[in-house]
Short mmCIF file of all heavy atoms in Angstrom, two decimals:
data_model
loop_
_atom_site.label_atom_id
_atom_site.label_comp_id
_atom_site.label_asym_id
_atom_site.label_seq_id
_atom_site.Cartn_x
_atom_site.Cartn_y
_atom_site.Cartn_z
N LYS A 157 6.75 -0.29 11.87
CA LYS A 157 5.41 -0.87 11.95
C LYS A 157 5.62 -2.35 12.18
O LYS A 157 6.31 -3.01 11.40
CB LYS A 157 4.65 -0.62 10.65
CG LYS A 157 3.37 -1.44 10.50
CD LYS A 157 2.47 -0.85 9.43
CE LYS A 157 1.75 -1.92 8.66
NZ LYS A 157 0.77 -1.36 7.71
N LYS A 159 4.17 -6.22 12.72
CA LYS A 159 3.06 -7.12 12.47
C LYS A 159 2.83 -7.97 13.70
O LYS A 159 3.77 -8.64 14.18
CB LYS A 159 3.37 -8.02 11.27
CG LYS A 159 3.55 -7.26 9.97
CD LYS A 159 2.23 -6.73 9.44
CE LYS A 159 2.35 -6.26 8.00
NZ LYS A 159 1.05 -5.76 7.50
N ASP A 183 0.23 -3.53 13.38
CA ASP A 183 -0.77 -4.02 12.44
C ASP A 183 -1.04 -5.49 12.76
O ASP A 183 -0.16 -6.34 12.60
CB ASP A 183 -0.26 -3.89 11.00
CG ASP A 183 -1.31 -4.27 9.96
OD1 ASP A 183 -2.43 -4.66 10.36
OD2 ASP A 183 -1.01 -4.16 8.75
N ASN A 185 -3.43 -7.24 11.25
CA ASN A 185 -4.01 -7.89 10.06
C ASN A 185 -5.25 -8.74 10.39
O ASN A 185 -5.40 -9.84 9.86
CB ASN A 185 -2.96 -8.74 9.34
CG ASN A 185 -1.95 -7.88 8.59
OD1 ASN A 185 -0.81 -7.73 9.03
ND2 ASN A 185 -2.35 -7.30 7.48
N GLU A 209 -3.52 -0.88 13.80
CA GLU A 209 -4.18 -1.14 12.52
C GLU A 209 -4.87 -2.50 12.52
O GLU A 209 -4.27 -3.50 12.91
CB GLU A 209 -3.10 -1.07 11.42
CG GLU A 209 -3.64 -1.20 10.00
CD GLU A 209 -2.50 -1.06 8.97
OE1 GLU A 209 -1.47 -0.42 9.26
OE2 GLU A 209 -2.65 -1.62 7.88
N GLN A 210 -6.10 -2.51 12.06
CA GLN A 210 -6.91 -3.72 11.81
C GLN A 210 -6.76 -4.79 12.90
O GLN A 210 -6.29 -5.90 12.63
CB GLN A 210 -6.56 -4.32 10.45
CG GLN A 210 -7.62 -5.27 9.90
CD GLN A 210 -8.93 -4.57 9.49
OE1 GLN A 210 -8.94 -3.59 8.78
NE2 GLN A 210 -10.04 -5.10 9.97
N ASP A 234 -7.66 -1.41 7.53
CA ASP A 234 -7.05 -1.66 6.23
C ASP A 234 -7.97 -2.64 5.48
O ASP A 234 -8.70 -2.26 4.56
CB ASP A 234 -5.64 -2.23 6.48
CG ASP A 234 -4.91 -2.64 5.21
OD1 ASP A 234 -5.51 -2.60 4.13
OD2 ASP A 234 -3.72 -3.02 5.30
N GLU A 235 -8.00 -3.88 5.93
CA GLU A 235 -8.81 -4.91 5.26
C GLU A 235 -10.31 -4.60 5.30
O GLU A 235 -11.08 -5.15 4.51
CB GLU A 235 -8.54 -6.29 5.88
CG GLU A 235 -7.16 -6.89 5.54
CD GLU A 235 -6.05 -6.47 6.52
OE1 GLU A 235 -6.19 -5.46 7.23
OE2 GLU A 235 -5.02 -7.19 6.58
N ASN A 254 -6.61 2.85 5.91
CA ASN A 254 -5.38 2.62 5.16
C ASN A 254 -5.76 2.35 3.71
O ASN A 254 -6.45 1.38 3.41
CB ASN A 254 -4.62 1.43 5.75
CG ASN A 254 -3.28 1.18 5.07
OD1 ASN A 254 -2.90 1.87 4.13
ND2 ASN A 254 -2.55 0.18 5.56
N LYS A 256 -4.83 1.44 -0.17
CA LYS A 256 -3.82 0.79 -1.02
C LYS A 256 -4.35 0.71 -2.44
O LYS A 256 -5.52 0.39 -2.64
CB LYS A 256 -3.53 -0.64 -0.52
CG LYS A 256 -2.81 -0.69 0.81
CD LYS A 256 -2.65 -2.12 1.26
CE LYS A 256 -1.98 -2.18 2.62
NZ LYS A 256 -2.12 -3.51 3.23
N MET A 281 -4.04 6.89 5.96
CA MET A 281 -2.73 6.28 5.77
C MET A 281 -2.71 5.73 4.34
O MET A 281 -3.73 5.33 3.81
CB MET A 281 -2.60 5.14 6.77
CG MET A 281 -1.45 4.20 6.56
SD MET A 281 -1.44 3.07 7.98
CE MET A 281 -0.14 1.98 7.47
N ASP A 306 3.01 4.07 4.78
CA ASP A 306 3.71 2.80 4.98
C ASP A 306 4.05 2.28 3.58
O ASP A 306 3.36 1.44 3.05
CB ASP A 306 2.81 1.83 5.75
CG ASP A 306 3.47 0.47 5.90
OD1 ASP A 306 4.70 0.41 6.03
OD2 ASP A 306 2.74 -0.54 5.91
MG1 LIG B 401 -2.36 -3.49 7.05
#
Side-chain angles (χ1 to χ4, degrees):
K157 168 163 144 174
K159 297 288 193 179
D183 185 359
N185 287 105
E209 185 177 334
Q210 199 69 50
D234 175 354
E235 288 88 340
N254 183 358
K256 291 176 182 166
M281 168 174 175
D306 176 33

